[in-house]
Amino acid sequence: MFIFYYLYVLGQYCKDTANTTTFQYADMTQVKNFLVPLPSLDEQHEIVKYLEYNTKGIDTAIAQQKRLIELLRERKNIIINETVTGKVKVI
């Protein structure tokens, strides 16, 4: 799991150091120089545990915001429907 999470760091590194012309590509010279730390297994487990604990809150917040967006869309559709059908008068 540590390497899985660390690949996100590598992906961002590739985006930050990518060469762009017409087609964006990662410079393999830069990627070869990218260092991957390899802490002890215990430390890897602690890092993964920390990341999973802290991302839970973010995931919860994202889910709540998605639900709020869904509710607002439903309310918007209800208001539009009631206005179009004449149940609500627009002044």
Side-chain angles (χ1 to χ4, degrees):
M1 284 305 296
F2 174 78
I3 295 297
F4 172 78
Y5 284 121
Y6 205 76
L7 288 176
Y8 283 108
V9 175
L10 176 60
Q12 187 60 48
Y13 177 79
C14 287
K15 288 177 188 174
D16 292 343
T17 61
N19 292 319
T20 55
T21 52
T22 306
F23 177 75
Q24 186 176 16
Y25 64 95
D27 183 355
M28 291 312 291
T29 305
Q30 295 285 342
V31 174
K32 282 193 271 185
N33 292 328
F34 185 78
L35 299 175
V36 178
L38 198 55
S40 69
L41 282 177
D42 289 338
E43 193 172 355
Q44 288 180 35
H45 290 299
E46 287 299 314
I47 292 168
V48 168
K49 189 169 135 182
Y50 173 83
L51 289 172
E52 289 179 349
Y53 175 79
N54 286 302
T55 56
K56 245 183 239 180
I58 295 168
D59 292 339
T60 301
I62 290 170
Q64 288 172 343
Q65 293 303 309
K66 284 182 178 181
R67 180 66 185 139
L68 179 61
I69 290 169
E70 184 182 318
L71 288 171
L72 290 171
R73 283 187 179 139
E74 287 174 13
R75 289 180 182 168
K76 174 183 149 188
N77 288 335
I78 290 169
I79 291 169
I80 290 170
N81 186 39
E82 288 180 348
T83 304
V84 170
T85 58
K87 291 181 183 175
V88 173
K89 290 187 180 188
V90 180
I91 299 174

